[in-house]
Amino acid sequence: MNIDAWVWWLVGAAALGIPLVVTAMPEFGMLAVGAVAAAVVSALGFGAVIQVLAFVVVSVALIAVVRPIAARHSTQRPRLATGVEALKGRQAVVLERVDASGGRIKLAGEVWSARALDTGRTYEAGQEVDVVDIEGATAIVL
């Protein structure tokens, strides 16, 4: 029994799909797509050299193009800030005098303990302040 080369390329693509699922390394998927491209070239009747070239060109092109895009997306911060991150940069109203040692503010409808970022500054009740950071349950204001 003689099995066509394109079948072997598809078997190779499936074999490359297994470590893709197990290791979650997208490079295996890109190699699998290269193997599928080689299977198509083989099914069209091209020889072994062209099949291997198709595999290499498609695989390398995918790795060269897709990998940097995926890396850039994985390092970007999420666009929607949640939790404490969502409070940074918001404005608050001073309820009790805030200085370097402490105070109280109303932030996002809740009462928070707060302290001034600048140790020499004090903020009196009724003033608006900007939240620059959150440390534990204390808002750092400016």
Side-chain angles (χ1 to χ4, degrees):
M1 180 167 118
N2 190 9
I3 298 177
D4 291 333
W6 66 269
V7 174
W8 287 113
W9 282 110
L10 290 180
V11 169
L16 287 166
I18 293 169
L20 167 67
V21 172
V22 172
T23 65
M25 290 180 61
E27 290 83 2
F28 285 112
M30 296 172 207
L31 292 172
V33 172
V36 170
V40 169
V41 169
S42 174
L44 293 174
F46 290 96
V49 173
I50 302 297
Q51 294 171 30
V52 171
L53 279 174
F55 171 74
V56 170
V57 168
V58 170
S59 298
V60 169
L62 284 173
I63 290 171
V65 172
V66 174
R67 229 171 137 216
I69 293 170
R72 186 174 45 236
H73 282 285
S74 69
T75 59
Q76 287 180 343
R77 294 183 59 168
R79 298 192 193 283
L80 178 62
T82 59
V84 172
E85 292 297 317
L87 299 175
K88 293 178 184 178
R90 302 231 1 218
Q91 286 193 330
V93 176
V94 176
L95 298 176
E96 296 174 12
R97 181 181 175 173
V98 175
D99 56 21
S101 62
R104 296 247 182 243
I105 61 170
K106 186 164 194 170
L107 172 62
E110 297 178 345
V111 177
W112 281 72
S113 60
R115 68 178 168 81
L117 176 65
D118 183 358
T119 55
R121 294 278 317 253
T122 61
Y123 304 96
E124 298 299 329
Q127 277 187 280
E128 286 191 356
V129 292
D130 292 319
V131 176
V132 294
D133 200 7
I134 304 286
E135 291 180 358
T138 302
I140 311 302
V141 299
L142 180 65

